[in-house]
Amino acid sequence: KLARVWQEVLRLERVGIKDDFFALGGDSFKAIRVVSKFGRGFLVPDLFNNPTVERLAEIVRRNGDQNMSLLYELSPKGGEKKVAVVAVPHSAGDPLVYQRTCDALMQLSDEYQFFGVAQPRPEPAPGETFETTLQQLAAQIIEEARKIPIPIILYGQSNGTGLTLELARAMEREKFDLRAVCMGGALPRLSVDPNTLGIDTRSDDDILGFVKGLGSIVPEDPADLAIFIRNFKYDSIIAVITYYNALRDMQNGTYVKLEAPLFLVTGDRDPLTRNYQTKYRDWFKFARRVGLVVVNNVGHYLLRDTPEDVARLLHRIGAGNFEGVTDDEGRPTGVLTKLRAVFARS
């Protein structure tokens, strides 16, 4: 079955069980399509780490019909770990978008565990909605996170900040040891039209124009592109619902602000965080303590263009250094310094 899927995706008449997927012309977009077409049994990082049919088949056999773990460990196993990072990718992303950040963090210290969140993106079953899908997704991630016996730093990138906020709220309700929450390349949504929940009315051209304008690379193959757009819309819908839930609770007077410090992490050239110098304070609606981290001469794609800076931030937080964090009246709750200078790039 694996060989047939590879043949179809790679447009080859024959695939040997020892042939390397990427040597045959595979790439990250085609890897996503292979996972989508095959169904349960493995994730995109599994294909990268086991790029032959022979090796990947062993992963499928090992996993069997069990539910796939949604927390994919990117860091090497072994050694004494003191802090874990749980990171939610941007729209249409997978755990591997964090691999370079993880590698850079490991260069700073081997005392971290690093998990990327793998979103299965199932269509809602009959009688269900994207709201129930979100609830199931968050519940499974929280259940897996309970097995992490060390403090956790949450990191979300772009639309991944929605699910990150949902997870942060759940972790604090359940008394997790949540060290901090980092929101990369995103200001919070402050209004959501309830009539738009569960739908994304943007055309394919609208989405492609948007992501290309940010400097993103999109697949050229029409089949890969269709999956990319579908996954992008799916994750965008999930993000909108998570913010809607929070804003609804604020309106009802039931929202509880996060106690863990929240950092907005942004490039100074990111069009999605314009006026971040003042707009970062919008995060005070969601958290009691907020900090701003700015990387100079960088746009929206922090994980691609500046993973070392993201890793340095995570390492500082992991060490308990909350420089630049203030309460909503501007009073420092850590040692107040200019993080912008620390993370400046030439």
Side-chain angles (χ1 to χ4, degrees):
K1 183 178 178 181
L2 277 172
R4 286 197 301 271
V5 171
W6 283 30
Q7 287 172 234
E8 182 178 346
V9 170
L10 298 173
R11 295 191 175 94
L12 297 173
E13 293 185 0
R14 181 182 180 279
V15 169
I17 64 170
K18 296 182 182 295
D19 291 341
D20 187 287
F21 178 78
F22 301 99
L24 293 175
D27 56 26
S28 59
F29 295 120
K30 286 181 169 48
I32 292 171
R33 183 146 57 104
V34 166
V35 172
S36 177
K37 292 184 71 67
F38 187 82
R40 298 172 63 170
F42 65 99
L43 300 170
V44 170
D46 293 316
L47 176 51
F48 272 80
N49 294 326
N50 303 275
T52 69
V53 170
E54 183 178 53
R55 286 170 54 184
L56 192 57
E58 288 301 319
I59 299 297
V60 175
R61 291 191 189 100
R62 188 185 312 155
N63 289 333
D65 291 329
Q66 65 183 353
N67 289 328
M68 296 293 296
S69 174
L70 299 186
L71 295 184
Y72 193 95
E73 187 167 2
L74 299 171
S75 50
K77 299 187 186 308
E80 183 181 359
K81 307 299 183 181
K82 295 185 177 180
V83 179
V85 178
V86 174
V88 182
H90 51 70
S91 287
D94 66 80
L96 282 178
V97 302
Y98 284 102
Q99 187 64 67
R100 291 175 59 207
T101 302
C102 172
D103 293 343
L105 183 58
M106 295 304 108
Q107 291 295 315
L108 297 172
S109 173
D110 61 0
E111 295 179 339
Y112 292 91
Q113 274 187 298
F114 203 116
F115 299 91
V117 173
Q119 292 209 47
R121 303 183 178 100
E123 291 296 332
E128 293 186 342
T129 64
F130 274 98
E131 170 69 24
T132 56
T133 299
L134 168 62
Q135 292 171 356
Q136 294 165 3
L137 172 65
Q140 183 176 344
I141 294 171
I142 292 297
E143 186 62 29
E144 293 183 33
R146 287 196 183 96
K147 302 173 185 177
I148 302 174
I150 51 181
I152 292 174
I153 301 170
L154 282 174
Y155 189 103
Q157 181 65 26
S158 196
N159 264 339
T161 59
L163 179 57
T164 302
L165 178 62
E166 189 86 5
L167 295 176
R169 296 181 67 191
M171 286 184 177
E172 291 209 335
R173 283 195 302 268
E174 300 194 23
K175 309 302 181 185
F176 276 66
D177 189 351
L178 185 59
R179 179 69 54 89
V181 181
C182 298
M183 302 301 202
L187 296 169
R189 296 174 184 265
L190 300 182
S191 64
V192 174
D193 182 353
N195 297 318
T196 65
L197 297 181
I199 58 174
D200 190 326
T201 59
R202 291 175 293 180
S203 69
D204 293 357
D205 288 341
D206 287 341
I207 290 174
L208 292 177
F210 172 72
V211 296
K212 287 180 180 179
L214 294 175
S216 176
I217 299 172
V218 299
E220 297 180 359
D221 188 300
D224 296 337
L225 188 59
I227 291 178
F228 171 83
I229 291 174
R230 182 264 179 192
N231 290 348
F232 188 95
K233 286 187 174 183
Y234 190 105
D235 294 349
S236 297
I237 290 170
I238 292 295
V240 169
I241 293 174
T242 57
Y243 281 110
Y244 172 79
N245 288 344
L247 294 170
R248 178 199 58 202
D249 290 349
M250 290 178 194
Q251 188 174 22
N252 295 338
T254 58
Y255 184 84
V256 178
K257 286 189 177 184
L258 298 178
E259 293 291 341
L262 185 152
F263 291 87
L264 168 61
V265 189
T266 182
D268 65 344
R269 298 180 178 178
D270 188 345
L272 298 189
T273 57
R274 287 189 181 94
N275 301 318
Y276 61 81
Q277 298 92 334
T278 55
K279 297 292 288 183
Y280 85 95
R281 293 184 59 82
D282 289 344
W283 281 112
F284 277 118
K285 295 181 182 295
F286 301 84
R288 297 188 184 279
R289 296 181 290 164
V290 174
L292 172 64
V293 179
V294 182
V295 185
N296 286 345
N297 301 319
V298 173
H300 182 63
Y301 291 98
L302 294 165
L303 306 177
R304 180 190 70 190
D305 300 333
T306 181
E308 298 83 6
D309 289 313
V310 176
R312 281 197 286 272
L313 169 64
L314 293 171
H315 184 44
R316 288 161 64 92
I317 294 172
N321 186 342
F322 298 127
E323 297 179 73
V325 178
T326 69
D327 63 19
D328 57 3
E329 294 183 1
R331 294 173 299 209
T333 59
V335 180
L336 188 61
T337 63
K338 293 183 178 179
L339 286 179
R340 182 187 184 101
V342 174
F343 290 92
R345 292 170 62 85
S346 59

